[in-house]
Amino acid sequence: MAALVRHTLIPVKGSASFSHNGVRAICSTPVVHSPRKGAPDRTGKNIVFVDGVRSPFLLSGTDYSKLMAYDLARHSLLGLLKKTGVPKEIIDYIVYGTVIQEVKTSNIGREAALAAGFSDKTPAHTVTMACISSNQGITTGIGLIAAGAYDVIVAGGVEFMSDIPIRHSRKMRSLMLKANKAKTPVQTLKLLASIRPDFLVPELPAVAEFSSGETMGHSADRLAAAFKVSRREQDEYALRSHTLAHDAQSKGYFTDIIPFKAVPDSDKTISNDNGIRVSNMEQLGKLKPAFVKPHGTITAANASFLTDGASACLIMTEAKAKELGLKPKAYLRDFVYVSQDPKDQLLLGPAYATPRVLEKAGLTMKDIDVWEFHEAFAGQILANFKALDSDWFAQNYMNRQSKVGVPDINKFNNWGGSLSIGHPFAATGVRLTVHAANRMIREDGQLALIAACAAGGQNRRLKA
């Protein structure tokens, strides 16, 4: 998925006018840019991105481990309201994403909203689209606004890998359902007597494609090999991501983080992401392959890690922002979802989505001031770069006469990315969006493009 965000100029209450930049995109490769002054977007409503927040992104099994996913989601919703100063009462609708669902809170958007004190009259629903779930939440909100159904939408996402649902085996589930229907103790005992040792083997959620049975790590390893991305190149890119994230964190750029007290009665407040690790090439080179052994190139250091976290953002019409005296960070202009072969091209969404969103916006690679791509693996990012820079790939797979070219690395993921900051699947889309918007403001940019790959070989682009 990819998205475009553009610079805005909106008069607000109590001030003359303000100028700011923002980006918004999901999945594969999104592009964001500034609309011409006075020109409405495709919806005719000039939909704006006001702001976004997130909990600190933490390695699963650490400080969030005793919580539930909806605790993090609730925190992000409350943090968004506090940061923007918007009262709960004006939120028309909430769309929340998640990938690994907790059965008790299957519609986690609704449960988190109720827990955060939103009115029970505020509708909320949950979406799932793998790693672009919160991106889908944002574009669903755009659609609801474009349709004239609502003016003010909250979109977000949450992932909680510290406590995933683990099921009994299918044989055991079948037996338990039959036992529940048994009419006499004798019937129940007869069913229980049929239990065999293999009935007790649990079913873990598979981090694999249902269609191919292959884990994303194996797909990334094969993709890196196909595009001749070396282990050294991947380690160098991973080191870059962690170094840039560490610098951004040290300089206080992660203003989207809402500190969180995971244990209410504790004095400990969590204020930073805890997966950022600046190492060196020698140490990275000692790590063994994580998936394709012994000759693979994907390791624990050049792959994103299992992460807990939540995010939320506020979008609305330009007219509503003016009415409320808000200062949005971006216009949300265009978005595109793409999909491709979920086996051999599972992680190539950005390569497919980027040229499409650029063409839709009438832009070129050189027009983009800020790039934000989701970093599932270092090899995935570098393979997408090589695909974008290949005439052969363009001609044989993209129905294009020539290559598009690669993003300017000096404008690419300058605050680090998912490899270092973390990747709570459904929460990453909002993180990409707010970082792109905040970077455009800090770097005085006008156009930004966001892209992310996702399970199932799907991607989305958005232009703003």
Side-chain angles (χ1 to χ4, degrees), residues 289-461:
F291 299 98
V292 178
K293 304 174 182 179
H295 303 300
T297 56
I298 306 296
T299 70
N302 60 40
S304 57
F305 48 88
L306 295 179
T307 314
D308 298 335
S311 60
C313 68
L314 182 65
I315 66 174
M316 62 182 64
T317 61
E318 180 181 35
K320 193 67 176 180
K322 288 180 180 179
E323 176 189 324
L324 296 172
L326 295 171
K327 298 181 179 181
K329 292 187 171 180
Y331 285 115
L332 303 177
R333 308 305 280 185
D334 286 312
F335 63 87
V336 172
Y337 289 93
V338 302
S339 60
Q340 61 278 341
D341 173 14
K343 183 173 175 65
D344 292 329
Q345 298 189 5
L346 176 68
L347 302 170
L348 280 180
Y352 282 96
T354 297
R356 286 182 56 183
V357 78
L358 286 171
E359 289 174 351
K360 189 175 182 182
L363 300 171
T364 68
M365 301 286 278
K366 293 181 180 179
D367 292 318
I368 303 304
D369 301 306
V370 170
W371 297 86
E372 283 288 334
F373 278 22
H374 160 48
E375 300 169 346
F377 304 88
Q380 160 254 331
I381 290 290
L382 297 173
N384 274 276
F385 282 2
K386 293 194 176 190
L388 285 166
D389 206 33
S390 167
D391 285 325
W392 182 88
F393 187 84
Q395 293 161 7
N396 287 274
Y397 288 98
M398 300 174 68
N399 296 318
R400 301 179 59 84
Q401 294 184 348
S402 61
K403 64 187 180 183
V404 182
V406 295
D408 182 344
I409 194 64
N410 295 312
K411 300 176 180 178
F412 188 87
N413 288 16
N414 285 0
W415 292 355
S418 302
L419 289 173
S420 47
I421 295 170
H423 175 41
F425 306 141
T428 290
V430 169
R431 198 272 301 167
L432 289 171
T433 303
V434 71
H435 278 198
N438 287 344
R439 277 187 57 205
M440 283 203 293
I441 294 169
R442 186 170 290 278
E443 297 167 20
D444 194 26
Q446 294 296 306
L447 302 170
L449 188 151
I450 303 167
C453 56
Q458 301 189 105
N459 305 267
R460 175 205 153 215
R461 286 164 294 185

Side-chain angles (χ1 to χ4, degrees), residues 37-57:
K37 185 176 180 181
D41 61 17
R42 295 175 190 274
T43 71
K45 304 211 174 194
N46 280 342
I47 298 172
V48 296
F49 175 84
V50 176
D51 209 343
V53 302
R54 63 185 176 94
S55 71
F57 285 180

